Amino acid sequence: MSNETPTADQPAEDIQPDNPIDNPDFVEHAAASSGGASSQAVSREEAGNASGADELFDTSVTFADLGLHPDVVKGLDEHGFQHPTAIQAQIIRPILKGKDVIGQARTGTGKTAAFGLPFLTQAIAAVDADRENPAPGPLGLVLAPTRELAHQIAAEIDALGKHTNILTTTVVGGESSDAQRKSLDRSSGGLVVGTPGRVLDLHQRKQLDFRNLRLLALDEVDRMLDIGFRDDIRKTIQSIQRARGKGAGALQTVFVSATVDPAIESLARQFMREDAEKIVTVAGSLTVAAVDQKYLSVEPWDKRSLLLKLLKNEKPEATVVFCRTKMTVRKVAAYLKDKGLNTREIHGDLAQNKRNKVMDQFRRETIDVLVASDLAARGLDVDHITHVVNYDLPDDPEVYIHRIGRTARAGRRGTAWTFVTPEQGQLLTEVEKLSGAMIEHMPYPAFKPGPVPSDIRDDRARQRRKPDAPMKASDRAVGVSNDFGGYTEAELKAMFPDGNIPTSLPPKNLSAKFRRRGR
């Protein structure tokens, strides 16, 4: 399996100027390293008696009831997967009937298997029908926004299709295109999972044949149709339609995500047939009830100390700490390491082999705390994550949904702690509106806030001073000019490097001294 590029949920501070599809930021080691299917298709027995299991599984049906090929059901049985989740129970039959589907379900409820299982069944039927004269190229294509998610999808489909003859190939950036081309040479009748940039590139080089393509899935469709990918998605679908020709019949499309707002749904339907069916299983709340969501009020300068206190006092088993920027990721991880916690960081400035090593260690439970950028919020499927910490509350409420979805996977319990600064009350309200859940305040008397830093205190004092207020003697002593909003002498020297610091603002009628041209 290969790797590929993340992009769309990258915060503004982390965005690089080049094409986002060619700019890797977070790469998770292939899920295949665990040797089995992801937890997205999971047995009720594996979930145990967790209270989240009742809201997750549809026990009125089994996978065998849904019309899946016997070889697919055999693979599910072997892994102990008996009952589908709600999204799987509702979406598999329409896909098997050939319908276009938009599927919306909470994170951790098995959306990948929801389209992967029927795709495997349809691929088996197509291969059997074309056995005498097999058509070139893959039957199905799955597009994902990040390398790590593409890996994860391919590994899960491989595991669930263990007893089938369907080959799943991963094509993503950052690896040898020659090796991927050789894999594609063997992909006739199979499935290809990739990221838009590499898929389009391989097709344009005539190394990825679209003539036999009948199935298309977009995972995390809200990000796939975001501005960063939209053009590539449109070009890819147009290329598929041209390659298949007019008499090939309609391309079947399946788009899934945890969040699908009206604007994204409208865009998605432009690529689908008019009778496309939307299936929503969120039941009014986008966040799984098994996640215990709490927020803690904290000043920005106290965040690190509060995080350390929580981790040392509460002793969570496995924690992901989400930060908005790569710089914050580095600083927080270094701070926790210095305080003796078993911590690693993952962000775009790490070399690929180091990112893979970190994820492999986290999967093997040799790391207690993973400090990550927002890209880890998409598709990070590690079963044992017990806690998520929103060190920085994201500006986009949808990112919050994907972040906390990294815990409470497949019916297990999980905890999400969110740090909220005094000015972020409205943003917290927006998160609650989107998630459909009330996030309770969590008092934490064990933590004692620190003093206000001197630079913050001085800045607040300047902001409180009225423009016409007389300067204090202490202000004059450090060269503060009230006419310039209370800047210090050092700040003024930086603004006027020639040393000629004005003593007052220019007169309001200064512009009258200059003649305009033509007069």
Side-chain angles (χ1 to χ4, degrees):
M1 301 297 176
S2 321
N3 304 341
E4 168 57 357
T5 322
T7 58
D9 47 74
Q10 191 170 7
E13 292 87 343
D14 285 351
I15 292 177
Q16 303 297 323
D18 51 337
N19 188 329
I21 294 175
D22 300 320
N23 176 32
D25 191 298
F26 176 84
V27 180
E28 178 184 334
H29 188 54
S33 64
S34 63
S38 120
S39 64
Q40 291 193 3
V42 66
S43 67
R44 193 172 182 82
E45 290 74 22
E46 183 180 353
N49 295 321
S51 61
D54 291 335
E55 76 164 11
L56 184 64
F57 296 99
D58 185 346
T59 57
S60 66
V61 295
T62 66
F63 282 111
D65 299 328
L66 298 177
L68 297 171
H69 190 279
D71 289 346
V72 176
V73 175
K74 182 179 179 181
L76 290 162
D77 287 342
E78 186 173 292
H79 284 94
F81 304 154
Q82 181 181 3
H83 296 291
T85 64
I87 185 64
Q88 292 162 1
Q90 294 187 41
I91 206 174
I92 287 175
R93 286 192 179 104
I95 294 176
L96 289 176
K97 291 178 181 178
K99 292 185 68 67
D100 287 359
V101 176
I102 300 173
Q104 182 179 359
R106 300 180 182 96
T107 55
T109 55
K111 294 184 294 297
T112 298
F115 64 77
L117 294 171
F119 272 25
L120 284 170
T121 293
Q122 289 166 298
I124 294 170
V127 169
D128 288 345
D130 299 337
R131 193 173 297 279
E132 298 299 325
N133 186 26
L139 180 89
L141 174 65
V142 181
L143 295 176
T146 68
R147 292 178 180 181
E148 54 89 20
L149 185 53
H151 277 309
Q152 187 175 295
I153 292 168
E156 182 172 344
I157 293 176
D158 266 346
L160 297 175
K162 177 181 178 181
H163 294 287
T164 73
N165 58 349
I166 302 304
L167 176 68
T168 303
T169 303
T170 312
V171 292
V172 293
E175 292 190 354
S176 168
S177 58
D178 288 338
Q180 293 178 359
R181 177 184 55 78
K182 292 177 181 178
S183 295
L184 289 172
D185 289 342
R186 302 189 300 271
S187 68
S188 178
L191 305 175
V192 170
V193 183
T195 46
R198 180 51 63 92
V199 165
L200 197 56
D201 177 62
L202 289 171
H203 174 68
Q204 291 171 344
R205 294 191 204 177
K206 302 187 184 303
Q207 295 174 2
L208 176 52
D209 197 333
F210 286 160
R211 284 178 292 173
N212 190 40
L213 204 66
R214 308 178 196 179
L215 308 168
L216 173 67
L218 267 62
D219 204 352
E220 305 288 11
V221 68
D222 57 339
R223 290 304 181 193
M224 296 301 290
L225 294 182
D226 205 345
I227 197 67
F229 286 116
R230 196 176 302 167
D231 287 345
D232 281 335
I233 297 299
R234 182 175 286 107
K235 290 177 183 177
T236 300
I237 293 177
Q238 290 172 346
S239 297
I240 294 171
Q241 292 169 339
R242 283 195 299 269
R244 296 176 75 243
K246 292 183 178 180
L251 174 70
Q252 184 180 359
T253 57
V254 178
F255 299 162
V256 298
S257 186
T259 54
V260 182
D261 65 28
I264 290 298
E265 181 180 346
S266 177
L267 276 171
R269 288 187 180 276
Q270 295 179 19
F271 303 111
M272 312 178 88
R273 287 170 283 182
E274 290 184 0
D275 63 346
E277 185 173 343
K278 183 179 181 182
I279 297 173
V280 180
T281 63
V282 293
S285 174
L286 294 176
T287 52
V288 179
V291 181
D292 183 23
Q293 302 175 65
K294 298 289 173 53
Y295 79 89
L296 297 93
S297 299
V298 61
E299 293 285 1
W301 55 84
D302 280 329
K303 282 185 177 182
R304 289 193 305 182
S305 299
L306 175 58
L307 177 63
L308 180 65
K309 179 69 73 171
L310 282 168
L311 295 176
K312 286 197 169 184
N313 284 9
E314 306 303 318
K315 295 180 172 54
E317 294 178 21
T319 306
V320 180
V321 179
F322 285 110
C323 305
R324 289 185 67 250
T325 69
K326 291 178 283 188
M327 180 180 294
T328 306
V329 169
R330 289 191 291 266
K331 289 182 177 179
V332 170
Y335 175 80
L336 295 179
K337 285 181 187 176
D338 185 60
K339 298 300 182 180
L341 272 68
N342 181 12
T343 306
R344 297 292 185 276
E345 64 189 81
I346 191 157
H347 53 75
D349 289 344
L350 287 183
Q352 173 119 13
N353 62 336
K354 290 185 178 180
R355 294 196 293 265
N356 290 346
K357 182 178 180 181
V358 168
M359 283 312 306
D360 185 53
Q361 291 174 332
F362 194 52
R363 286 184 179 281
R364 290 189 285 107
E365 303 184 37
T366 60
I367 296 174
D368 297 327
V369 182
L370 180 66
V371 186
S373 64
D374 269 323
L375 288 165
R378 295 278 174 166
L380 174 57
D381 191 5
V382 179
D383 292 351
H384 68 281
I385 296 173
T386 58
H387 290 68
V388 165
V389 179
N390 292 297
Y391 185 87
D392 297 315
L393 185 62
D395 290 332
D396 184 352
E398 290 187 4
V399 173
Y400 173 89
I401 303 299
H402 291 279
R403 282 181 178 184
I404 71 166
R406 300 314 100 200
T407 187
R409 306 294 286 184
R412 298 172 179 87
R413 298 292 306 176
T415 298
W417 294 323
T418 298
F419 292 176
V420 180
T421 59
E423 67 275 8
Q424 291 180 319
Q426 181 59 39
L427 184 55
L428 179 65
T429 300
E430 294 302 319
V431 168
E432 290 178 323
K433 286 179 181 178
L434 180 65
S435 66
M438 178 66 71
I439 304 173
E440 296 181 8
H441 181 240
M442 176 179 167
Y444 204 64
F447 173 72
K448 304 301 180 185
V452 179
S454 58
D455 58 334
I456 301 293
R457 187 173 59 251
D458 293 344
D459 184 59
R460 288 180 174 178
R462 286 195 297 270
Q463 292 177 2
R464 285 195 300 266
R465 187 188 305 123
K466 296 179 181 180
D468 58 350
M471 287 188 293
K472 299 177 182 179
S474 58
D475 290 338
R476 295 191 183 96
V478 295
V480 174
S481 170
N482 197 58
D483 287 338
F484 289 94
Y487 288 106
T488 65
E489 184 175 12
E491 290 170 333
L492 287 170
K493 285 182 178 179
M495 294 167 63
F496 301 96
D498 61 356
N500 296 322
I501 302 175
T503 58
S504 64
L505 293 173
K508 294 181 180 179
N509 61 350
L510 180 64
S511 60
K513 296 182 180 181
F514 298 93
R515 291 179 176 270
R516 296 182 182 178
R517 289 187 178 181
R519 292 191 177 183

